[in-house]
Amino acid sequence: MNQQTQPSTREHHFYVAIAKFLFHHPEHGIVSVRDPIKVKDAERYGLSPLIRATALGSHNG
């Protein structure tokens, strides 16, 4: 069986950290930012998130 389970709280926070700090730039590839930024701010610099918030789902824990 191939069942998917909800990520643990620890995994969730890891994914959120990645989503706030790692982005893709069309010319430079994967880039990191020093301080977390919002997706809208990142888009102004041509950056797109590696992990979208919708992919993370909501996690109450």
Side-chain angles (χ1 to χ4, degrees):
M1 269 191 239
N2 204 359
Q3 292 182 336
Q4 288 194 346
T5 60
Q6 289 284 353
S8 69
T9 301
R10 185 176 185 168
E11 287 174 305
H12 174 76
H13 289 292
F14 176 74
Y15 295 140
V16 170
I18 290 173
K20 291 181 178 182
F21 287 96
L22 293 177
F23 294 88
H24 180 263
H25 187 273
E27 184 179 333
H28 302 291
I30 296 174
V31 297
S32 63
V33 295
R34 184 175 304 183
D35 295 317
I37 59 175
K38 296 178 182 177
V39 172
K40 289 207 179 257
D41 293 336
E43 288 172 349
R44 293 191 335 215
Y45 296 100
L47 302 173
S48 58
L50 288 180
I51 300 175
R52 300 214 178 267
T54 55
L56 296 175
S58 64
H59 184 80
N60 298 323

